[in-house]
Amino acid sequence: AQTVTQSQPEMSVQEAETVTLSCTYDTSESDYYLFWYKQPPSRQMILVIRQEAYKQQNATENRFSVNFQKAAKSFSLKISDSQLGDAAMYFCALHTGTASKLTFGTGTRLQVTL
Amino acid sequence: GAVVSQHPSRVICKSGTSVKIECRSLDFQATTMFWYRQFPKQSLMLMATSNEGSKATYEQGVEKDKFLINHASLTLSTLTVTSAHPEDSSFYICSARDAGVAVAQPQHFGDGTRLSIL
């Protein structure tokens, strides 16, 4: 079975600052993918970034980057130069080939303050 | 980009009513669609995997007769909540996987349906 754990129910960051959201996971699969999704108040699920487990290089998408530590089964999201529009729920998700489905963490609510 | 349309966005109905929610992939074919349920301030819980032309695969604890899923075409899956009761009130979200890309490509999500049973 796959599990995804997000230990930070809420986080707060000042505008223009940097924040890191934590995520750990567990799977017995060797081939898997990790995702961060953003869910703003509109409830739409928006893909932020993805990481293939076989890649050692950390994924980066503009102000968003991940710290993927495969041995530790850790997949944190770093948001640089935070903006008010970054305020949302952030979900970490695991996809494995065998299960062919996403397993979500419990989410972290990010507040961005002026 | 790939678009998934979910309809209706909001439903309010009386207890005992059956409610149908549609999930359409607008610009791609989806052999597999997923239905999630999300309670307030909680995560998405997978209810079932909808497979085009075959029976859906339900997660443990999800009542098949309560939540009927039909995936009759490559662009449409429906979820019918039968004889809905207040405890079925929730936010339902569908997602679809593009049949033309690798399995591990990101799923595309609909905007969700807020179901309220009075």
Side-chain angles (χ1 to χ4, degrees):
Chain A
Q2 286 70 235
T3 61
V4 178
T5 302
Q6 292 178 251
S7 59
Q8 305 156 314
E10 291 190 8
M11 292 285 285
S12 182
V13 63
Q14 282 192 324
E15 197 176 17
E17 297 296 310
T18 296
V19 64
T20 298
L21 308 185
S22 301
C23 173
T24 58
Y25 62 93
D26 192 23
T27 178
S28 58
E29 302 285 334
S30 58
D31 181 22
Y32 56 89
Y33 297 76
L34 293 157
F35 303 89
W36 277 98
Y37 281 91
K38 169 185 177 181
Q39 188 180 42
S42 65
R43 307 294 292 269
Q44 183 184 15
M45 294 293 286
I46 302 168
L47 177 66
V48 175
I49 200 166
R50 69 188 293 257
Q51 173 81 43
E52 293 88 342
Y54 62 85
K55 288 187 177 180
Q56 292 185 335
Q57 187 173 7
N58 290 323
T60 299
E61 287 287 341
N62 300 313
R63 298 183 295 108
F64 299 88
S65 61
V66 299
N67 183 3
F68 176 45
Q69 300 291 324
K70 191 171 183 178
K73 294 185 177 177
S74 170
F75 181 62
S76 61
L77 174 69
K78 185 172 81 171
I79 305 174
S80 304
D81 186 24
S82 297
Q83 301 175 359
L84 293 177
D86 294 335
M89 280 290 288
Y90 285 82
F91 292 99
C92 178
L94 169 68
H95 176 280
T96 59
T98 302
S100 294
K101 57 188 180 184
L102 284 172
T103 300
F104 286 90
T106 51
T108 297
R109 181 172 300 280
L110 178 65
Q111 290 184 319
V112 181
T113 59
L114 294 172
Chain B
V3 177
V4 173
S5 174
Q6 188 172 340
H7 179 80
S9 59
R10 180 81 188 258
V11 179
I12 302 173
C13 58
K14 294 181 179 180
S15 183
T17 306
S18 291
V19 178
K20 180 184 285 188
I21 303 170
E22 292 186 349
C23 182
R24 293 181 184 272
S25 56
L26 298 186
D27 50 1
F28 65 95
Q29 294 185 327
T31 53
T32 305
M33 292 185 175
F34 303 87
W35 288 97
Y36 298 86
R37 184 173 181 175
Q38 186 180 29
F39 290 104
K41 299 184 178 181
Q42 294 190 24
S43 187
L44 280 71
M45 299 300 297
L46 181 65
M47 299 174 65
T49 302
S50 172
N51 303 296
E52 187 268 335
S54 64
K55 291 183 179 181
T57 303
Y58 290 82
E59 295 300 301
Q60 190 173 7
V62 178
E63 298 177 59
K64 301 178 182 181
D65 295 333
K66 177 73 171 178
F67 300 99
L68 299 179
I69 292 173
N70 183 279
H71 193 157
S73 78
L74 286 172
T75 59
L76 174 65
S77 175
T78 60
L79 168 68
T80 301
V81 184
T82 61
S83 187
H85 289 94
E87 58 266 29
D88 298 323
S89 298
S90 189
F91 191 69
Y92 294 87
I93 309 176
C94 73
S95 71
R97 175 179 294 144
D98 189 334
V101 299
V103 170
Q105 288 299 311
Q107 298 173 17
H108 307 287
F109 285 84
D111 288 344
T113 298
R114 184 180 301 279
L115 175 62
S116 300
I117 308 298
L118 306 178

